[in-house]
Amino acid sequence: MNKKELYQKVIAHFEATMPVAETELHYNSHFELIVAVVLSAQCTDKRVNMITPALFRDFPTAEAMASTTPEVIFEYIKSISYPNNKAKHLVGLAQMLVNDYQGEVPRTLEELTKLPGVGRKTANVIQSVAFHKATMAVDTHVYRVSHRIGLVPLSCTTPLSTEKYLMKYLPRAIVPKAHHWLILHGRYTCTAKKPKCEICGLNGLCKYSIKPFEIKSL
């Protein structure tokens, strides 16, 4: 089976089994989305969703968050990973949104990555989820699953090389959905330590199910 055929079979599987694939983060605006995505770095969406209701209630806009301090934000987010850094990033991000973008979340990779706490992965999530652009954010799940299935070669050892390879073969129209397919598959089926190969519909296509191997983690 060549690479094009593998992609076609994997896409067909996910279209049939996961026709609706969306972020599991809870948000009601582009500002809330970017805050939630920043908070989700090295933290589960479930944990983020537990602390954001109070945070969004008291700081629903960039203007509101820009007027407070990292010390105040820390008290809302102290149960997640790296709360000190994230509190500083969120206040700085909100201030930049107010000062440079009239309080609105910008749309381009260049603009987004200027914001505190926003790297390429976060920027790609925002572009995809908020603005429906064909961008592929490579987190640990996307990286692991795409390598195990064989969608990308083992020579793709960085998030950027993995992103570029996936974008080469995925139809642009389904890239936003494919991003969530890979995340959700990695989160619930193709888990890091004990992948559930026995119940996976890709068993037989997937390189890992045929011969387990280790890949360099992010």
Side-chain angles (χ1 to χ4, degrees), residues 60-77:
T61 64
E63 290 79 5
M65 192 169 288
S67 66
T68 191
T69 66
E71 291 74 20
V72 171
I73 297 299
F74 173 86
E75 293 302 318
Y76 289 82
I77 69 171

Side-chain angles (χ1 to χ4, degrees), residues 83-147:
N84 282 299
N85 284 339
K86 289 178 180 178
K88 294 175 184 176
H89 288 156
L90 290 181
V91 173
L93 180 153
Q95 290 173 344
M96 187 174 287
L97 290 181
V98 171
N99 294 332
D100 297 349
Y101 301 104
Q102 295 76 51
E104 299 296 323
V105 175
R107 292 171 174 260
T108 69
L109 177 67
E110 181 180 9
E111 291 173 315
L112 285 164
T113 52
K114 290 179 181 177
L115 299 170
V118 178
R120 184 182 182 91
K121 181 187 75 175
T122 296
N124 280 345
V125 172
I126 301 304
Q127 290 182 98
S128 174
V129 176
F131 304 119
H132 311 293
K133 293 186 178 182
T135 57
M136 174 59 67
V138 177
D139 67 354
T140 56
H141 297 303
V142 173
Y143 184 87
R144 180 179 67 255
V145 169
S146 60
H147 279 82

Side-chain angles (χ1 to χ4, degrees), residues 30-40 55-56 65 90 93:
H30 291 168
F31 174 69
E32 289 187 0
L33 174 63
I34 197 169
V35 169
V37 176
V38 169
L39 290 172
S40 71
L55 181 67
F56 294 158
M65 192 169 288
L90 290 181
L93 180 153

